[in-house]
Amino acid sequence: MIGKLLGMLACMLAASVVAQPYIQVQGLFAGKAVLNINGNRQMLSEGDVSPEGILLVSADTATAVIEHEGQRYELDLTSRINSAFVPAEGKEVRLFADSGGHYFTTIRINGQQAQAMLDTGATSVAMNSQHAQSLGIRYADAPVQTVSTAAGRVQARRVTLNRVSLGDIEIHAVAATILEGNFPEVILLGNSFLSRVETNNQGAVMILTAPF
């Protein structure tokens, strides 16, 4: 009898742990948010409920308010919620690969929000001239260099970004390359940032940790 009761208790405890998802905020927009819930990247609009029971109450470019089991939480891009459903601590960011194996996320460049993709093959952070202009980056007088792209060798400008933030990881004085035109279509978070954090590729999950 005691054995059965212990077994039932263990099942109940296990169920309570499963019911508490891991959540990471990866993108914030007006009325929408990109959340990674237990490894599943999902775009939710205000009023949507995920299969895990997460309700997106409201969202803007700064914060999202979610509700789970009657409790509301206000999250920003530095927020993660662990399996006990409390804010996780430490300068660690977990990114989850999309169906193509790419890691897309939201970063901040000099305090301005932007969408980016991790690219371990890129020497530096790379963006097109439209990205740079929208972020207020002055590059007209920056040194010119020649870089290789899928379209061949092109000229680019070399600049240094004051700071680049991913979640609660912030790196200062980050080298970046700016290419005229529309390439790359999304900002590439290259090795001028990635080489200064610890990375642990676990297949569908990339874990980045600040070394300090």
Side-chain angles (χ1 to χ4, degrees):
M1 183 65 178
I2 294 177
K4 290 183 179 180
L5 289 173
L6 289 174
M8 292 174 61
L9 179 60
C11 291
M12 291 172 64
L13 289 173
S16 67
V17 171
V18 172
Q20 308 296 339
Y22 178 98
I23 299 176
Q24 182 184 20
V25 180
Q26 286 205 314
L28 290 170
F29 311 91
K32 297 183 179 181
V34 178
L35 305 177
N36 268 301
I37 306 173
N38 293 339
N40 297 316
R41 193 170 189 232
Q42 304 176 42
M43 170 76 83
L44 299 182
S45 298
E46 291 179 349
D48 287 350
V49 180
S50 76
E52 299 83 2
I54 307 300
L55 166 66
L56 180 64
V57 178
S58 63
D60 55 30
T61 56
T63 60
V65 176
I66 65 171
E67 183 175 306
H68 181 260
E69 295 184 346
Q71 298 293 319
R72 289 194 176 188
Y73 302 84
E74 184 174 340
L75 310 175
D76 59 22
L77 289 172
T78 70
S79 301
R80 303 185 311 280
I81 294 175
N82 63 19
S83 59
F85 215 74
V86 296
E89 298 179 354
K91 292 186 177 181
E92 177 185 285
V93 174
R94 291 173 180 250
L95 302 180
F96 298 86
D98 65 7
S99 58
H102 301 108
Y103 297 94
F104 289 93
T105 189
T106 301
I107 63 174
R108 290 185 181 274
I109 296 177
N110 298 341
Q112 300 294 312
Q113 184 172 295
Q115 299 300 303
M117 181 184 77
L118 265 66
D119 187 350
T120 57
T123 302
S124 67
V125 173
M127 68 184 74
N128 65 44
S129 54
Q130 295 177 11
H131 294 141
Q133 291 166 13
S134 67
L135 293 168
I137 300 172
R138 298 180 179 179
Y139 63 92
D141 297 327
V144 178
Q145 65 180 58
T146 302
V147 298
S148 297
T149 70
R153 295 179 65 81
V154 299
Q155 287 192 332
R157 300 281 182 174
R158 182 83 168 181
V159 300
T160 299
L161 306 173
N162 291 335
R163 64 187 189 279
V164 177
S165 305
L166 172 58
D168 54 1
I169 298 175
E170 182 172 280
I171 304 297
H172 293 259
V174 179
T177 302
I178 299 173
L179 291 78
E180 289 291 345
N182 298 323
F183 181 86
E185 294 182 0
V186 63
I187 295 174
L188 304 178
L189 193 60
N191 286 316
S192 58
F193 179 92
L194 297 176
S195 66
R196 296 166 66 181
V197 300
E198 297 178 5
T199 58
N200 182 6
N201 190 339
Q202 297 186 355
V205 181
M206 177 75 77
I207 303 172
L208 295 88
T209 308
F212 47 83

